[in-house]
Amino acid sequence: MAKMTGAQAILESLKREGVDVIFGLPGGVLLPLYDAIYSSEVRHILVRHEQAAAHAADGYARATGKVGVCLATSGPGATNLVTGIANAYMDSVPMVAMTGQVNTNLIGRDAFQEADITGITLPITKHNYLVRKASELPRVFREAFHIARTGRPGPVLIDLPRDVTVEELEYSYPELHLPGYNPSTKVHQLQIKRAAEALMSAERPVIYAGGGVRYANAHQELFELALKLNAPVTTTLMGVGVFPEDHPLSLGMLGMHGTKYANYSIQGADLILAVGARFDDRVTGKIASFAPRAKIIHIDVDPAEIGKNVRVDIPVVGDARNALAELNKFVTQKPWSAWNERVSTWKCDYPLCYQKDESVIKPQLVVEKLCEVCPDAIIVTEVGQNQMWAAQFFTHKDPSRFISSGGLGTMGYGFPAAIGAKVGRPDCQVIDVAGDGSFQMNIQELATAVINDIPVKVAVLNNGVLGMVRQWQTLFFGERYSHTTLGQVPDFVKVAEAYGALGLRATKPSEVEDVIREGLASDKPTVMDFIVAKDEKVSPMVPAGASLSEILELES
Amino acid sequence: MKHTIAVIVENKPGVLTRISGLFSRRGFNIDSLSVGATDNPDYSRMTITVNCDEETLEQVIKQLSKLINVIRVSQLEPKESVERELAIIKVSANRENRPEIMQLVSIFRAKIIDVSPRSVIIEVTGDEEKVDAIERLLRQFGIKELARTGKVSMVRGTKVVQP
């Protein structure tokens, strides 16, 4: 036992949890904690807006598999984290968010910069804490990290009143005691056998894999199972890369902007094996007509996901890796079947494609070129058309190299998340595939990247419009473009230069590859501004509320 | 369809908010909720009645179980459990009708716990139907005020719902 202040206890606990970086921004009530950080070994990255701290912690967590940590002051600092916390919650990202709070004797009195952040984040955290005594700190931190990273991961918030960080305590790191928290990881053998039998007797199986496969590190087990069964594999946006997309069994992504062949396969299947996925509405389309002929096996670590949106025939609660490894013991090699032939025909007949153009840069071309030049890059995306093209036209082969805001769909996520990813994996090229709308939502983080020497690359697919909303206006609102035109303002090259980053621009298709090569070769944070076709649409598309069978090819 | 669930929770600040917040966020309706300490001061017990179909009930139970402060969630089958509710009812009373009120109280094995020249307070314990019934019958005298606890429930026999 050692005597120390609350602030020191916080840093000691972070050290014990293996935290090597914090993304944060100080404020009044955090002064004692920041004073302790000043003389600590932990790396602190000063962001320019707290939202970016949360997204950076999220990107760091997704890129490394470790718990991301962010820190913001009380009141507005804490509320600025909210979007980032909600984002992490929707995508099950392990995160610990620390917030400052006013002194305990002022809580509830509407003190300066007071916000009830535990109340505010109640529905968007896996759990949260308001620490009232310094002596609680070691236990709270121990629990918070455990909860954030185990079971179905998620964000945990710790609210730290100023006086708690000053108060002294006898420090000892306690054993875990969480009687109400027992995430099930082991799988039920009987259910595994039932699932294996169903898979062996299925004639038209499809594996539908989500982000859970990635978090459970289950991609190898998935690969083995798919090959044994000769079962085509489609992934959700969160699962992009968990199955190599250049493999003959890969169907790419399914759902609203999934491939035609993935959606047709789902609709034609007699058995769907869902792993670590949650039957989101963007995936299923009209739920009543989703996979109408299929039995459903659902493997998920969160029992509440099973049966939430669709009826499930064989539920398997447990860690995806354990479950798939168990399944592999009970299935044997199945031959290439008529079903495989049919799926292959669909793949040939309905490839992802776009109208090439010699004079105007097509956004898809930029993504293809990125893939060509740097196939191993970690691709982070913003939200909207850029995100869908990044998912569709980059050949994703690695389970931890595609980072995107799936559930919440947070514009402004990509750039700070890319900063976090680059901090976590400095040896990888990290590219934020951005739109001009999304990029402007956290563009101030160019300062963070430049000053901390974090050479992320931003590929702005600059069409001067809020493209995805505009696409819907074109299709469903009679081309009435209400407030979706941004105009090509600002000049991103000049903005990049103003911040001390490198700015490059391509206006013609012939310039795309050179700009990419030059941008990626630079050791500076770089903004590559690609002036792209304004009216390009993300295709194919299942209109919201329609069945997956009603997938449309859209002309630009 | 009405369902009763018993929830053992950690006796910590904010736990009730977590539970009620979960219900409102997920669109589940609480019919009644009662909460009190258990024999172990670390835990409280809630009895929640919800009106929903079987699928929603399954979600209610699973979502509640996910809360870190929730130790145990059990569905209580009405046929296999005893259920009680307590109500105190202030009724207008005078010299003329007081005997009739007292007769009703006696039939329901309720109690009069306060008397004044113009009112009485009646305490009644029983299942929901019994409390409803006495409330209905007392209405003719004029109910001035009524407070009900919400249901508490326990499985019959040796089976227990414990942390």
Side-chain angles (χ1 to χ4, degrees):
Chain A
M1 293 252 255
K3 213 172 177 87
M4 56 175 81
T5 65
Q8 289 165 333
I10 290 163
L11 292 171
E12 175 63 24
S13 306
L14 293 177
K15 195 170 147 192
R16 287 182 192 237
E17 293 299 335
V19 174
D20 46 22
V21 60
I22 302 171
F23 300 91
L25 198 138
V29 300
L30 285 181
L31 280 162
L33 181 55
Y34 267 91
D35 190 61
I37 289 174
Y38 196 60
S39 52
S40 135
E41 287 160 23
V42 73
R43 183 174 180 199
H44 177 278
I45 292 179
L46 175 66
V47 294
R48 293 297 177 271
H49 186 293
E50 290 89 350
Q51 185 188 353
H55 290 328
D58 175 314
Y60 173 90
R62 295 195 212 204
T64 61
K66 299 205 289 189
V67 179
V69 178
C70 57
L71 172 60
T73 192
S74 65
T79 54
N80 275 347
L81 289 181
V82 167
T83 301
I85 295 170
N87 188 75
Y89 184 70
M90 288 288 266
D91 288 348
S92 309
V93 178
M95 177 192 289
V96 169
M98 298 182 283
T99 48
Q101 183 55 278
V102 299
N103 281 330
T104 45
N105 64 340
L106 290 176
I107 291 176
R109 292 164 190 262
D110 304 317
F112 176 66
Q113 291 193 329
E114 182 187 359
D116 172 18
I117 197 64
T118 47
I120 289 168
T121 58
L122 207 64
I124 53 163
T125 47
K126 192 170 169 188
H127 195 52
N128 63 24
Y129 295 90
L130 168 59
V131 184
R132 290 188 173 272
K133 286 198 227 62
S135 59
E136 297 170 8
L137 285 167
R139 174 185 62 81
V140 166
F141 274 80
R142 179 98 165 86
E143 290 179 5
F145 277 86
H146 178 69
I147 291 167
R149 69 162 77 95
T150 53
R152 178 181 182 171
V156 178
L157 181 134
I158 308 176
D159 201 17
L160 301 161
R162 186 188 180 281
D163 50 337
V164 167
T165 64
V166 180
E167 197 188 333
E168 288 202 325
L169 70 151
E170 291 287 343
Y171 189 92
S172 70
Y173 215 44
E175 287 300 306
L176 277 171
H177 176 66
L178 284 166
Y181 182 67
N182 304 296
S184 37
T185 50
K186 284 207 186 107
V187 289
H188 198 287
Q189 282 297 319
L190 188 70
Q191 293 301 86
I192 290 290
K193 280 182 194 155
R194 284 182 62 204
E197 276 164 26
L199 286 165
M200 288 308 290
S201 59
E203 285 173 10
R204 302 185 308 279
V206 173
I207 299 175
Y208 147 49
V213 173
R214 169 182 182 167
Y215 292 130
N217 240 321
H219 54 282
Q220 274 160 346
E221 288 76 7
L222 174 74
F223 190 75
E224 187 185 334
L225 183 70
L227 265 61
K228 269 188 173 176
L229 294 169
N230 263 315
V233 182
T234 179
T235 69
T236 66
L237 183 73
M238 301 310 300
V240 160
V242 299
F243 190 82
E245 291 180 345
D246 53 354
H247 193 279
L249 286 171
S250 170
L251 298 173
M253 188 170 74
L254 81 164
M256 182 173 276
H257 293 297
T259 61
K260 266 193 161 176
Y261 43 92
N263 289 336
Y264 286 167
S265 300
I266 287 281
Q267 294 305 81
D270 68 347
L271 181 72
I272 287 177
L273 170 63
V275 198
R278 59 185 176 87
F279 297 88
D280 175 80
D281 55 279
R282 284 291 190 268
V283 159
T284 62
K286 187 179 169 191
I287 201 109
S289 53
F290 175 77
R293 286 172 278 278
K295 269 190 162 182
I296 294 176
I297 305 170
H298 190 181
I299 301 173
D300 207 290
V301 73
D302 180 356
E305 282 306 335
I306 295 174
K308 187 180 81 176
N309 292 344
V310 296
R311 132 211 86 68
V312 170
D313 300 283
I314 306 175
V316 181
V317 177
D319 175 79
R321 188 172 183 179
N322 289 343
L324 293 174
E326 286 300 312
L327 269 180
N328 280 328
K329 292 183 194 163
F330 292 103
V331 299
T332 50
Q333 186 62 49
K334 285 176 79 175
W336 188 262
S337 66
W339 171 240
N340 292 111
E341 285 303 321
R342 202 153 119 209
V343 171
S344 300
T345 313
W346 282 329
K347 276 183 85 165
C348 275
D349 291 350
Y350 308 110
L352 278 176
C353 58
Y354 63 96
Q355 200 78 47
K356 303 234 164 38
D357 196 302
E358 304 243 308
S359 55
V360 190
I361 303 176
K362 288 297 183 87
Q364 300 94 329
L365 173 80
V366 176
V367 177
E368 279 180 346
K369 287 285 175 201
L370 285 171
C371 185
E372 220 176 282
V373 175
C374 195
D376 292 333
I378 294 180
I379 297 294
V380 187
T381 81
E382 299 289 347
V383 164
Q385 290 183 314
N386 60 80
Q387 177 184 33
M388 292 299 117
W389 287 320
Q392 290 176 331
F393 289 93
F394 197 99
T395 309
H396 303 277
K397 289 178 269 190
D398 184 290
S400 65
R401 287 175 197 247
F402 182 76
I403 296 175
S404 192
S405 166
L408 197 66
T410 311
M411 287 176 69
Y413 167 80
F415 182 44
I419 291 175
K422 183 72 182 172
V423 167
R425 288 167 78 179
D427 299 336
C428 291
Q429 192 69 262
V430 178
I431 306 170
D432 174 32
V433 175
D436 48 315
S438 288
F439 183 43
Q440 289 186 71
M441 287 199 180
N442 271 315
I443 198 164
Q444 76 286 345
E445 297 308 317
L446 276 167
T448 307
V450 169
I451 286 172
N452 292 286
D453 194 15
I454 306 164
V456 288
K457 311 294 165 181
V458 185
V460 186
L461 307 177
N462 187 352
N463 55 10
V465 293
L466 297 166
M468 188 59 97
V469 181
R470 181 184 160 93
Q471 173 168 338
W472 286 49
Q473 287 173 333
T474 308
L475 296 170
F476 311 119
F477 288 86
E479 299 181 17
R480 288 162 56 83
Y481 298 120
S482 181
H483 301 277
T484 46
T485 306
L486 300 165
Q488 267 151 12
V489 172
D491 179 329
F492 287 115
V493 172
K494 283 188 181 158
V495 170
E497 285 166 356
Y499 274 104
L502 175 64
L504 302 167
R505 178 173 294 126
T507 54
K508 294 199 289 280
S510 57
E511 297 165 352
V512 170
E513 188 171 335
D514 290 343
V515 163
I516 290 173
R517 288 193 185 278
E518 192 186 341
L520 298 190
S522 165
D523 54 3
K524 279 184 173 183
T526 303
V527 179
M528 298 171 278
D529 185 22
F530 299 98
I531 308 300
V532 300
K534 183 171 70 177
D535 287 313
E536 195 64 20
K537 295 185 195 67
V538 176
S539 175
M541 178 178 188
V542 179
S547 145
L548 291 188
S549 314
E550 299 164 50
I551 188 161
L552 311 171
E553 293 276 5
L554 305 175
E555 303 266 316
S556 43
Chain B
M1 169 96 192
K2 275 198 180 177
H3 306 277
T4 306
I5 43 183
V7 188
I8 310 285
V9 301
E10 286 184 277
N11 189 6
K12 282 187 179 166
V15 174
L16 183 61
T17 318
R18 289 180 197 279
I19 302 225
S20 57
L22 173 73
F23 273 79
S24 66
R25 176 165 81 91
R26 298 261 175 204
F28 308 143
N29 284 318
I30 299 182
D31 258 30
S32 85
L33 183 150
S34 71
V35 56
T38 65
D39 54 321
N40 182 339
D42 292 342
Y43 301 121
S44 300
R45 178 177 174 126
M46 293 185 182
T47 309
I48 304 176
T49 46
V50 287
N51 199 345
C52 62
D53 57 28
E54 290 290 331
E55 276 145 38
T56 311
L57 178 70
E58 188 185 322
Q59 270 296 305
V60 169
I61 292 173
K62 284 173 165 179
Q63 294 292 353
L64 280 173
S65 306
K66 273 171 73 171
L67 296 177
I68 310 290
N69 301 122
V70 169
I71 308 292
R72 179 98 191 261
V73 186
S74 294
Q75 187 188 356
L76 302 175
E77 295 294 342
K79 280 180 200 150
E80 292 163 19
S81 22
V82 284
E83 301 181 339
R84 289 294 179 270
E85 201 175 315
L86 182 139
I88 49 179
I89 310 166
K90 188 179 285 178
V91 180
S92 304
N94 50 41
R95 202 174 301 158
E96 284 76 46
N97 64 14
R98 197 169 287 129
E100 200 182 335
I101 291 172
M102 288 177 68
Q103 210 171 7
L104 260 177
V105 164
S106 149
I107 292 167
F108 278 88
R109 282 190 271 169
K111 271 193 270 180
I112 290 181
I113 53 174
D114 181 72
V115 187
S116 79
R118 292 208 189 88
S119 69
V120 291
I121 298 179
I122 297 159
E123 173 198 313
V124 60
T125 313
D127 58 20
E128 201 180 347
E129 288 72 32
K130 179 178 164 184
V131 178
D132 286 348
I134 192 167
E135 183 196 325
R136 234 180 1 255
L137 287 162
L138 289 171
R139 217 171 274 157
Q140 54 181 312
F141 307 106
I143 293 176
K144 290 160 104 59
E145 203 176 341
L146 183 145
R148 286 173 82 149
T149 57
K151 197 191 310 185
V152 291
S153 185
M154 192 173 280
V155 186
R156 291 176 190 275
T158 49
K159 221 175 115 190
V160 290
V161 177
Q162 271 197 337

